[in-house]
Amino acid sequence: MSGDALDQDPAELRRRIDNTKAHPARVYDVFLGGKDNYPVDRAAAAAALAANPRGYLDVRHNRDFLRRAVTRLVAQDGIRQFLDVGTGLPTAENVHQIAQRIIPDSRVVYVDNDPVVLAHARALLTSGPEGRTDYIDADFKNPAEILEQAAKTLDFDQPVALCLVAILHFVADEEAYPIVSQLLDALPSGSRLVLSHLTEDLNPENIRAVQRTYTERGFTFVLRSRAEVERFFTANGLELAAPGVVPVHHWHADGAAPVLDQPEPAYLDSLDDIEKVRYADINDVTDADINVYAGVGTKG
């Protein structure tokens, strides 16, 4: 693991974990049905769900976009290297599992700066014998460190897919655009940018209510328009793949979003609303449910 991240003293790691303030990675984990979160994260997720009762569809469809994008890039384009920044907590079907199932020698580097993610990062390193996975304990706002550490695992002479999935809306403009440019500048021709981003273009009333719940908890939370999301591609000379920047559920939809086996009705009824989310079938999505744009671009 890069930067000797796994060698950190467990006591020091515990000291780094702030369980008094919600963290985006852990709130996201709540919506995905994970257990690696704290009451403050569950409270933030519950407040967001109360503000937008079908808001879990944004989170789940965002995750399913990553599944579809990685699958297409590996199976159709032969991409075998991924740099996943802001990866969040391990969940079902991480990037390396999808990629290595198709091309076993695929290489994946994950990047996050949440100590809770670090504490569970070994689950991200279960590479197949032919491939490689690595984890970098680093902040998105330090791209030079990310690139330096990633180069130990990835071959920057060959195309790399840079995954910035549901991370940029936590970064202000004056940092977001330059950092994306710096990361892309280091990647060779043929590399890809896989990006998703929250917006108020689609269903503004719902997402603005969610935005308030996050900003009240101290998050930077930037809702960007389609043009502002497209700028991450166009400003860096990338060619957008069809269908362009579109609502996330329309990006090469395949109707195959995974659904957990349904529990007994009595058990389901006993759960809080936020706990029921993990069992929801997200294939019933409508345009009125979604507040996320997604797109993939190629570096010339």
Side-chain angles (χ1 to χ4, degrees):
M1 180 173 292
S2 294
D4 298 321
L6 271 183
D7 296 332
Q8 288 199 25
D9 176 56
E12 175 59 28
L13 191 56
R14 285 193 296 271
R15 282 192 291 271
R16 283 182 55 193
I17 296 174
D18 183 357
N19 61 11
T20 67
K21 181 180 179 181
H23 188 286
R26 301 193 305 257
V27 176
Y28 194 78
D29 182 64
V30 174
F31 277 109
L32 292 176
K35 302 298 182 185
D36 301 315
N37 48 70
Y38 293 96
V40 67
D41 304 305
R42 293 189 285 277
L49 191 68
N52 181 14
R54 283 173 67 81
Y56 64 89
L57 289 163
D58 281 333
V59 177
R60 295 274 302 280
H61 273 281
N62 176 75
R63 187 72 194 180
D64 199 55
F65 158 68
L66 182 63
R67 173 187 66 82
R68 301 193 307 275
V70 171
T71 299
R72 289 181 67 87
L73 288 179
V74 179
Q76 297 187 15
D77 299 347
I79 299 295
R80 59 185 65 205
Q81 298 192 109
F82 292 82
L83 179 57
D84 184 1
V85 183
T87 182
L89 285 147
T91 186
E93 289 291 276
N94 297 297
V95 171
H96 72 278
Q97 294 167 313
I98 300 168
Q100 291 178 358
R101 185 167 56 243
I102 303 167
I103 299 181
D105 65 355
S106 297
R107 298 182 177 195
V108 178
V109 171
Y110 297 102
V111 183
D112 210 297
N113 72 328
D114 181 1
V116 172
V117 178
L118 173 58
H120 296 273
R122 283 187 174 85
L124 294 170
L125 301 178
T126 54
S127 176
E130 298 173 61
R132 289 185 63 187
T133 62
D134 203 352
Y135 178 89
I136 301 171
D137 178 28
D139 195 318
F140 172 75
K141 297 178 182 180
N142 192 348
E145 179 186 3
I146 290 171
L147 293 166
E148 178 185 357
Q149 298 292 342
K152 297 177 182 178
T153 300
L154 304 178
D155 178 358
F156 281 3
D157 291 328
Q158 299 296 323
V160 175
L162 172 63
C163 300
L164 300 176
V165 175
I167 179 176
L168 291 170
H169 42 252
F170 297 114
V171 187
D173 284 353
E174 61 269 20
E175 294 180 302
Y177 290 104
I179 291 171
V180 173
S181 293
Q182 188 172 344
L183 290 169
L184 287 169
D185 284 348
L187 305 182
S189 175
S191 292
R192 295 340 192 243
L193 173 61
V194 178
L195 186 150
S196 65
H197 200 296
L198 283 167
T199 183
E200 61 182 354
D201 286 359
L202 305 174
N203 298 289
E205 185 175 342
N206 287 348
I207 196 61
R208 286 173 187 158
V210 172
Q211 183 184 39
R212 285 193 294 272
T213 71
Y214 281 97
T215 55
E216 287 168 358
R217 288 164 171 79
F219 293 158
T220 298
F221 204 84
V222 184
L223 301 172
R224 293 187 172 96
S225 67
R226 184 197 299 263
E228 290 168 328
V229 174
E230 288 175 344
R231 180 181 158 195
F232 287 109
F233 297 92
T234 58
N236 293 295
L238 273 61
E239 180 181 355
L240 269 165
V245 171
V246 296
V248 67
H249 62 308
H250 289 311
W251 196 91
H252 294 288
D254 60 8
V259 181
L260 287 182
D261 292 338
Q262 296 299 296
E264 292 294 325
Y267 173 75
L268 195 61
D269 289 343
S270 73
L271 299 178
D272 293 338
D273 288 344
I274 196 65
E275 295 173 321
K276 293 177 181 177
V277 162
R278 65 183 307 196
Y279 297 105
D281 183 351
I282 68 170
N283 292 298
D284 69 345
V285 64
T286 71
D287 288 352
D289 295 320
I290 293 298
N291 304 281
V292 182
Y293 280 133
V296 174
T298 301
K299 182 174 179 178

